[in-house]
Amino acid sequence: MSLIQIEVAMLKAVALASAVKDIRTYLNGVAVNVTRGGDVILVATDGHRMHVGRLTAATEAQECTVIIPSDTIKRALAGNPKGSATIELYRDQGDDWQLGLVPFKHEGVYPDWRRVIPREFSDLRMPPINGKYLGDVGEAAALLGDKLRTLQVNNAGSSGLLIRIAARPSFFAVMMPQRPTETIRKDPGHPWHEMEAVKVPAWV
């Protein structure tokens, strides 16, 4: 049996970026990646943003990746002892796993999440971003103990943003730029175009 201790706060923080009812079912949950050294990396993405969290020395299990469905996470956390800082993930055999008291099967192959992480950054203006996604990173910061929700935002231009939480360097988020709809692109008078062109609104 492979036993993995997962920090509840980190699991909740990462799960905020999970897809909801996506046809790519492997995105509707959190991927748990066990590394060679026993660290555990949690990853969730909906294709527009990504949350990643690292737990050091959380297991002695062999290298593997398992996808925990979102509904399994919700049910398991609801049944976890109140106030518990961790929840156990373990493998019975094959693709049969259990999170807390909730059994599930590992299905699908998670995409190579490392390839979308920005590596080069710019001092230029930030690209337009989705405010809800940024709010979710703030909520993740609160879950991870930073009540001030202090974020460090690194700009990678068209590759998006890399966002760190000051109090928890073991967590980061990647956020792709917000793209205008076809209707907005065809309307030269839409406020979106002014927002892209200047840093300060014309009415200030």
Side-chain angles (χ1 to χ4, degrees):
M1 179 186 294
S2 301
L3 178 64
I4 303 169
Q5 293 285 350
I6 297 180
E7 179 188 350
V8 168
M10 184 66 82
L11 179 59
K12 289 180 178 179
V14 170
L16 289 169
S18 297
V20 178
K21 296 182 179 179
D22 197 297
I23 58 173
R24 299 164 294 180
T25 55
Y26 51 82
L27 296 184
N28 300 322
V30 172
V32 179
N33 176 218
V34 178
T35 67
R36 185 176 301 175
D39 292 348
V40 172
I41 300 176
L42 309 181
V43 185
T45 180
D46 60 6
H48 302 284
R49 39 73 182 270
M50 178 173 70
H51 288 188
V52 180
R54 177 171 173 255
L55 306 172
T56 58
T59 184
E60 294 182 358
Q62 295 181 341
E63 286 182 86
C64 66
T65 298
V66 58
I67 303 171
I68 312 175
S70 294
D71 62 331
T72 297
I73 294 172
K74 291 177 182 177
R75 290 164 53 208
L77 290 177
N80 207 40
K82 188 175 181 180
S84 177
T86 62
I87 189 168
E88 292 183 345
L89 170 67
Y90 57 92
R91 185 179 199 167
D92 288 331
Q93 55 183 355
D95 290 327
D96 294 322
W97 289 76
Q98 187 161 320
L99 179 65
L101 300 175
V102 182
F104 69 96
K105 279 191 175 293
H106 164 63
E107 297 179 346
V109 177
Y110 211 72
D112 180 9
W113 55 272
R114 288 179 173 84
R115 69 181 178 82
V116 302
I117 300 173
R119 306 291 180 179
E120 297 180 2
F121 301 99
S122 169
D123 292 329
L124 300 177
R125 64 177 176 80
M126 295 292 182
I129 58 174
N130 187 305
K132 180 188 181 303
Y133 296 165
L134 189 60
D136 283 344
V137 181
E139 184 176 346
L143 285 168
L144 295 172
D146 187 350
K147 301 307 178 185
L148 294 177
R149 305 187 184 210
T150 306
L151 306 179
Q152 180 188 33
V153 181
N154 299 283
N155 180 16
S158 61
S159 296
L161 305 178
L162 178 70
I163 305 173
R164 306 290 300 272
I165 294 174
R168 287 297 296 269
S170 57
F171 174 96
F172 69 88
V174 174
M175 195 174 303
M176 299 307 294
Q178 182 90 327
R179 305 295 184 187
T181 64
E182 185 67 20
T183 301
I184 292 175
R185 283 197 293 269
K186 291 181 177 180
D187 178 8
H190 194 281
W192 176 283
H193 301 290
E194 177 184 332
M195 184 176 67
E196 284 196 311
V198 297
K199 289 186 177 180
V200 180
W203 46 263
V204 173

